[in-house]
């Protein structure tokens, strides 16, 4: 009879527990202030409209409004010759408000000077700072303080147009192409939801024009023939940036490998078995010499994967569970699918290791957010082991992350809070998996069955550290 093994599944929380700085906020914080400062520069173009309304009671036409607000786009796309035509139109419009000729010329010159000054400031930031589309979007939509799960959700919502309009009927790629067509046709009013020029919407949607401005600055060809790969290339860039960040972070945290090895040995104390397979969502690949690991797999790649055939060594993506409504347009569906983790794994040049051995009779989770973007993986694992009909045990281990100043009462409160939040996530995961059953009765009582049979536990790692 073969020896029973444990499957340990780890997420970013394992690296954080081992004292690596791998939160998204750790990664993005050095860039955050510069991105926000540059975004505020971009928003000043919009503010000019209100400034001249208050200063001279000038109510610009919609066409002039659109060109003021999106002045950087207009300059990048059409160059100086087009801006001269814009200035002539601007001066004529001011004259029509019945100001005398000299005043109109003075005001038009003043606006021109302000626009050129702001534009020079903006483009200087683009030139000397490495702006990434997805990093910028995360910062200016205030998603940069969340976890990697939140960033993957941001990518999904943006691609599926849940952000900001809530219109889930078509993907972002059609909107982006329409947007570029409008720009090519010298229309800066942007009638679609993402870029209305009207004051009540400018504040809400100005971020869209800003990230498009970054994209066009980096890829001038996108204006004439926008394709999904422009956004995909920005995702590759983000992944490479983060892989470099982790590598440097490991170099400054010399105790990381010792810490992660201690963690794995602690998880083995929780296990009833003496050997395990490791299935990790992390990008690190530490040497775990004292741990009895039979097989190990980094499902989303790792920083040591140096194959030149990969766009990047690691994967950040969305869940492959795409609403059926997007399948009505095959091109649109394939564009969306190219951002899924499933598609990216298919293209990843990495070792082909199967950690789902038949002799696994226990699964231990640690440090994973249990976010929806990874549900497909968990469902396939649960399917493989037929958890409804088997006797496989599932243990969700958490760390309350005490600080050095916590007294016993503080620790107790953290224990209770973390246990509660982990219970909610576990219940949601198991119930979501149960909803995939053909037998709805089995699906509805899966969680109850696992608890009744003592096959599901939520465990505080602190109880095994002494």
């Amino acid at each position: 009879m073969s020896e029973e093994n444990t499957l340990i599944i780890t997420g970013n929380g394992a690296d954080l527990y081992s004292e690596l700085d791998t939160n998204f906020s750790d990664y993005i914080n050095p860039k955050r202030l510069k991105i926000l400062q540059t975004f505020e520069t971009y928003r000043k173009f919009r503010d000019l409209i209100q400034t001249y309304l208050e200063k001279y009671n000038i109510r610009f036409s919609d066409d002039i409004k659109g060109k003021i607000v999106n002045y950087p786009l207009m300059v990048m796309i059409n160059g100086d010759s087009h801006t001269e035509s814009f200035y002539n139109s601007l001066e004529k419009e001011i004259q029509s408000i019945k100001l005398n000729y000299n005043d109109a010329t003075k005001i038009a010159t003043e606006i021109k000077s302000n626009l050129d000054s702001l534009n020079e400031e903006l483009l200087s930031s683009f030139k000397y700072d490495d702006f990434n589309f997805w990093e910028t979007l995360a910062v200016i939509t205030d998603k940069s303080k969340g976890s990697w799960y939140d960033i993957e959700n941001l990518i999904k919502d943006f691609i599926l147009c849940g952000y900001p309009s809530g219109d889930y009927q078509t993907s972002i790629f059609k909107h982006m192409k329409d947007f570029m067509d409008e720009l090519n046709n010298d229309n800066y009013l942007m009638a679609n939801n993402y870029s209305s020029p009207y004051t009540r919407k400018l504040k809400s949607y100005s971020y869209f024009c800003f990230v498009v401005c970054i994209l066009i600055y980096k890829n001038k060809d996108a204006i004439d023939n926008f394709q999904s790969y422009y956004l995909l290339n920005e995702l590759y860039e983000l992944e490479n940036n983060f892989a470099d960040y982790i590598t440097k972070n490991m170099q400054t945290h010399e105790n990381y490998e010792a810490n992660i090895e201690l963690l794995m040995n602690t998880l083995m104390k929780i296990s009833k078995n003496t050997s395990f397979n490791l299935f990790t969502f992390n990008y690190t690949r530490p040497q775990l010499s004292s741990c009895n690991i039979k097989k190990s797999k980094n499902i989303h790649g790792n920083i040591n994967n140096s194959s030149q055939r990969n766009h990047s060594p690691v994967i950040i993506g969305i869940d492959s569970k795409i609403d059926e409504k997007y399948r009505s347009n095959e091109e649109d569906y394939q564009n969306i699918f190219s951002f899924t983790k499933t598609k990216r794994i298919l293209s990843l040049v990495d070792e082909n290791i199967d950690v789902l051995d038949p002799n696994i009779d226990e699964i231990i989770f640690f440090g994973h957010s249990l976010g929806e973007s990874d549900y497909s993986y968990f469902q396939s694992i649960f399917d493989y082991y037929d958890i409804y009909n088997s006797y496989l045990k599932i243990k969700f281990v958490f760390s309350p992350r005490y600080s050095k100043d916590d007294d016993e009462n503080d620790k107790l409160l953290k224990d209770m809070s973390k246990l509660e939040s982990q219970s909610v996530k576990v219940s949601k995961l198991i119930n979501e998996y149960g909803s995939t059953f053909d037998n709805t009765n089995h699906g509805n009582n899966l969680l109850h069955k696992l608890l009744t049979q003592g096959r599901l536990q939520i465990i505080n790692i602190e109880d095994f550290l002494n």
Side-chain angles (χ1 to χ4, degrees), residues 32-49:
R32 190 171 181 275
L33 181 59
K34 185 61 180 179
I35 290 172
L36 288 176
Q37 287 174 338
T38 307
F39 181 51
E40 284 308 307
T41 299
Y42 192 89
R43 286 168 58 133
K44 288 177 183 177
F45 289 96
R46 179 205 68 211
D47 295 339
L48 282 177
I49 295 172

Side-chain angles (χ1 to χ4, degrees), residues 62-67 70 73-74 77-78 82 178-192 195-198 209 223:
D62 288 341
D63 178 62
I64 294 295
K65 277 185 183 179
K67 289 175 179 176
N70 293 301
L73 286 169
M74 185 174 68
I77 293 164
N78 298 294
H82 192 82
D178 290 346
F179 188 96
M180 301 301 184
D181 288 344
E182 294 282 355
L183 295 177
N184 266 325
N185 291 326
D186 196 29
N187 179 12
Y188 294 86
L189 299 183
M190 312 308 174
N192 65 57
S195 48
S196 169
Y198 301 106
C209 295
I223 188 67

Side-chain angles (χ1 to χ4, degrees), residues 256-258 260-261 285-291 293 304:
Y256 164 68
E257 294 222 3
I260 193 78
E261 193 158 9
R285 192 141 195 172
Q287 298 297 316
L288 303 172
S289 56
S290 71
C291 304
I293 300 177
N304 298 325

Side-chain angles (χ1 to χ4, degrees), residues 266-292:
T266 302
L267 293 177
M268 288 309 296
K269 291 180 185 178
I270 297 172
S271 172
K272 67 182 187 63
N273 298 318
T274 58
S275 61
F276 66 94
N277 291 354
L278 177 62
F279 184 79
T280 179
F281 289 80
N282 293 337
Y283 307 125
T284 49
R285 192 141 195 172
Q287 298 297 316
L288 303 172
S289 56
S290 71
C291 304
N292 193 8

Side-chain angles (χ1 to χ4, degrees), residues 79 83 124 129 157 240 431 443:
T83 57
S124 293
D129 291 276
D157 284 342
N240 280 295
N431 287 329

